[in-house]
Amino acid sequence: MVAKLIIVGILCALTSLASHMGRAVFHDGVRPIMPEYVEGRMKRGEMASVAFGLSAGFVFSMGFAFTLASKLLNPWLLFLPTDILGVVAPRKWIAVVLGAAWGVGVTVAFDALNTVFGMLPINFLNSLSALSSPVLAGFALFPVLAIFYQFGKVKGIIALILELIVRQLAAMKYVTIHGTPITPEALEMFVGVILLVAFAIAKDVKANKDKTADAEEGESLFEVRTKRIVKSIPLMMVIGGLVSLIANLQWLSGSEVDFQALHTIYQTHNTSQLGTVAFADLIRGLAFIPLIVTTALASGVYGVVGLTLVYPIGFYLAPVIFGEGLMGHIAAFVMGALWLAIEMIVLRGIGKSLERFPSLREASDSIRNAMNNVLEYALLIGSALASLSMTHTPKDPQNFFAFGIFVALYGINEAIGRPVIRLAAAPLAAIITGVLVNIFYVAHLM
Amino acid sequence: MTIRIAIGGLKKEVTERVTKEVGGDKVSVIVTSDFEASKKIKAGEADYYFGACNSGGGAALSVPIGLLGYSNCATVAKAGGKPKQEEIEKLVSGGKIAFGMAVESIEAAVPMLLKSLFAKHNL
């Protein structure tokens, strides 16, 4: 516990410092505005209020809901606030102190909250594991949806049929890697993404033939502020190493894709799905690359977790290569740090290649779009299942009372204009349902 | 004249549908990526940018801010908030050209945006 507080505290202190110095922020929307502030066209107070306005909703919805549901810290909870704290602080040391205080504070608060929830007569935290059951299976089909969005019905249906065939071939163990079975979802996603990328590149190659490349505008735009990116590498290496380390220590979930699956894996110690989760995180990361790269090159401000690939490096790659335990922890830190440096060095190269393939950029939009939709459905159904299983003993029949409350809460959020964003609304509704069910139980109303 | 609107960001299909439904023949719509859209505006091939993302100011506007400048961009509907006609009116008449909104507010924000744009251009 002490080690956790120290490591998370240091990490948040550094991310807050990175934000204060205009080196890196987590929020993709804050990044392009940072130069206004760093270069003196915007006052600290205004910048802080912009950062707060863009981030607050995510901290309270995704940050809180995902951490409560998974008992794992997450980047929205840790780094969106340190974006803001770094800007608010008038001095470097104040940024460091505020960041550390936030890191230590939320870690203590959520551990305490989990302990309290764990003592309730109806332990709904166990029920919440039902959340994850549909997530990965549903998520694996997102490339199909992305293809429908971007390339229409014909290619979409082809992709759907191909993916399903490949999936079943893996599930029935006809397709293996040297005899080792492949997780059907992983192969399904892989095939889908390959198809999406192939369609995008084919479209661009055709378009590129028709016109000569005009990459000059982009280059001049990127030239101005890339120097700051290079200067940030040492600080960002330490941050990247620490993020990878806390993922390796099983304290962090990196994304909306992995939080429930990681929670279940860490609870059950059944790591067979870990590779699939890491792969899902990798694909999610790829879909964010165009956005992060372009904003970073245009603003000179990087992302505090880089291209987000340090998460799967920490929780999957490091333990797979170097084993669990101390060697794995050290490896996670070193690999995370080195990876972030590599990212930052090749950033310009990625930016330039992206310009020659605009359909790839569009594919990343389609992927994020499809991913969001799929996750909304999966989390909604998973949360509903979780509510249904919030019973006093496992032998009880399904709790339709809890299900009713859940539906009402989710519906209320929709009715009043969705103050909680949809992705987080379902898990949050399930958590509140859990608390309410306990109150009714204690009051002998159930 | 028609107002040329370039659409980028997430849920482009929703933004496109609402823009066409409300705008009718007063608008022409180009659906593309945030990057291409910003370049089109810079090159004078489009007049305005509509984009959506989860927060309303993140993925939707970050590239337009980088390419068109912060002073030309505005978030009209944040995640968890509702768009307001008066505020949008002010942003439009103040000369903003790139507008970001939360994906969950597209259907509310786009009609307001178009109303203000039509008023500005006397359409």
Side-chain angles (χ1 to χ4, degrees):
Chain A
M1 184 66 198
V2 178
K4 187 176 182 181
L5 294 182
I6 292 174
I7 295 174
V8 175
I10 294 176
L11 172 58
C12 288
L14 291 178
T15 56
S16 174
L17 181 66
S19 161
H20 177 82
M21 293 162 69
R23 294 297 173 80
V25 289
F26 181 72
H27 198 303
D28 297 318
V30 174
R31 195 172 307 120
I33 310 174
M34 281 302 269
E36 300 295 310
Y37 161 67
V38 175
E39 290 161 17
R41 289 183 295 278
M42 192 190 266
K43 289 209 171 68
R44 180 191 313 286
E46 196 188 341
M47 182 69 222
S49 86
V50 170
F52 184 81
L54 283 173
S55 296
F58 285 87
V59 181
F60 289 110
S61 52
M62 283 159 91
F64 280 24
F66 289 179
T67 290
L68 273 179
S70 68
K71 303 184 191 171
L72 296 166
L73 298 167
N74 68 55
W76 298 281
L77 183 68
L78 293 182
F79 305 139
L80 288 178
T82 61
D83 282 0
I84 303 167
L85 292 172
V87 173
V88 169
R91 295 252 184 288
K92 272 187 194 172
W93 68 269
I94 299 177
V96 169
V97 170
L98 289 177
W102 176 259
V104 171
V106 285
T107 308
V108 171
F110 276 91
D111 277 354
L113 209 52
N114 266 316
T115 313
V116 172
F117 281 168
M119 290 188 302
L120 294 174
I122 297 176
N123 189 337
F124 65 92
L125 291 181
N126 294 341
S127 309
L128 285 179
S129 62
L131 258 174
S132 68
S133 43
V135 168
L136 271 181
F139 183 69
L141 275 168
F142 82 84
V144 168
L145 205 56
I147 291 171
F148 268 96
Y149 278 127
Q150 197 173 349
F151 300 103
K153 275 177 261 179
V154 178
K155 288 192 170 108
I157 290 168
I158 295 172
L160 176 64
I161 294 170
L162 266 177
E163 267 203 47
L164 290 178
I165 291 174
V166 169
R167 182 197 191 284
Q168 289 314 99
L169 286 179
M172 295 163 76
K173 306 204 172 37
Y174 288 123
V175 181
T176 56
I177 304 174
H178 305 302
T180 323
I182 312 171
T183 322
E185 278 77 26
L187 189 66
E188 192 182 344
M189 253 188 288
F190 181 72
V191 170
V193 170
I194 295 287
L195 281 174
L196 179 60
V197 171
F199 289 149
I201 289 183
K203 190 176 165 190
D204 285 338
V205 168
K206 218 166 146 192
N208 281 352
K209 268 189 201 154
D210 302 341
K211 59 165 191 185
T212 46
D214 57 325
E216 284 143 48
E217 186 189 8
E219 267 187 59
S220 59
L221 168 87
F222 293 160
E223 209 69 53
V224 197
R225 295 190 177 108
T226 24
K227 273 189 195 146
R228 207 157 61 214
I229 297 262
V230 178
K231 264 202 327 203
S232 313
I233 290 180
L235 174 62
M236 292 310 299
M237 282 178 76
V238 182
I239 293 176
L242 286 174
V243 173
S244 179
L245 175 65
I246 65 167
N248 182 266
L249 289 165
Q250 309 192 340
W251 298 338
L252 181 84
S253 72
S255 68
E256 65 278 35
V257 175
D258 69 21
F259 78 104
Q260 265 307 315
L262 285 182
H263 169 61
T264 310
I265 290 168
Y266 297 159
Q267 294 280 304
T268 58
H269 303 287
N270 171 8
T271 53
S272 60
Q273 287 280 313
L274 201 57
T276 311
V277 180
F279 187 69
D281 254 352
L282 171 70
I283 301 292
R284 176 191 182 273
L286 293 181
F288 276 89
I289 286 179
L291 174 67
I292 298 175
V293 169
T294 319
T295 53
L297 289 175
S299 64
V301 182
Y302 202 49
V304 284
V305 289
L307 304 177
T308 73
L309 302 182
V310 285
Y311 316 138
I313 286 177
F315 72 74
Y316 180 69
L317 209 55
V320 161
I321 301 178
F322 294 93
E324 286 167 29
L326 191 62
M327 268 310 283
H329 304 330
I330 296 172
F333 181 83
V334 174
M335 288 163 78
L338 289 177
W339 176 256
L340 217 73
I342 296 171
E343 277 181 6
M344 296 176 83
I345 291 165
V346 300
L347 208 59
R348 284 253 312 265
I350 304 176
K352 275 186 199 161
S353 359
L354 277 175
E355 278 197 51
R356 282 195 289 134
F357 295 102
S359 294
L360 273 187
R361 279 198 75 89
E362 225 177 302
S364 89
D365 287 348
S366 312
I367 290 179
R368 284 185 288 124
N369 202 7
M371 211 158 55
N372 264 335
N373 287 341
V374 169
L375 281 168
E376 267 174 24
Y377 309 147
L379 284 174
L380 175 60
I381 295 168
S383 304
L385 291 176
S387 306
L388 208 49
S389 67
M390 284 176 188
T391 55
H392 187 46
T393 67
K395 283 179 192 150
D396 274 359
Q398 295 167 325
N399 191 343
F400 288 110
F401 175 64
F403 184 77
I405 298 178
F406 170 79
V407 171
L409 287 173
Y410 188 84
I412 289 170
N413 184 53
E414 291 285 311
I416 56 177
R418 293 188 208 115
V420 179
I421 65 167
R422 264 200 189 138
L423 263 183
L428 202 61
I431 291 165
I432 299 173
T433 302
V435 175
L436 289 177
V437 165
N438 270 290
I439 294 174
F440 273 77
Y441 182 80
V442 171
H444 297 290
L445 286 168
M446 200 179 87
Chain B
M1 69 168 261
T2 55
I3 302 180
R4 296 165 303 172
I5 293 166
I7 291 171
L10 300 183
K11 302 227 164 157
K12 295 187 242 267
E13 71 285 356
V14 181
T15 317
E16 180 190 11
R17 175 172 54 74
V18 181
T19 308
K20 281 182 175 163
E21 270 171 19
V22 178
D25 53 7
K26 292 183 206 167
V27 297
S28 64
V29 173
I30 312 156
V31 181
T32 174
S33 72
D34 48 3
F35 197 68
E36 295 299 304
S38 309
K39 285 210 287 198
K40 276 196 185 347
I41 290 183
K42 260 200 148 162
E45 292 164 23
D47 304 311
Y48 294 97
Y49 167 85
F50 292 176
C53 70
N54 287 318
S55 69
L61 275 186
S62 49
V63 171
I65 289 173
L67 285 168
L68 304 172
Y70 179 66
S71 57
N72 284 315
C73 306
T75 297
V76 293
K78 282 183 191 136
K82 278 184 189 161
K84 292 193 189 70
Q85 185 73 57
E86 316 86 76
E87 279 173 27
I88 291 176
E89 194 77 56
K90 251 187 256 167
L91 293 168
V92 168
S93 55
K96 307 278 181 196
I97 51 177
F99 302 96
M101 61 204 92
V103 281
E104 300 175 353
S105 306
I106 295 173
E107 274 145 333
V110 166
M112 292 185 192
L113 268 170
L114 287 173
K115 192 179 166 196
S116 301
L117 287 175
F118 293 154
K120 180 178 176 179
H121 293 279
N122 300 316
L123 282 172

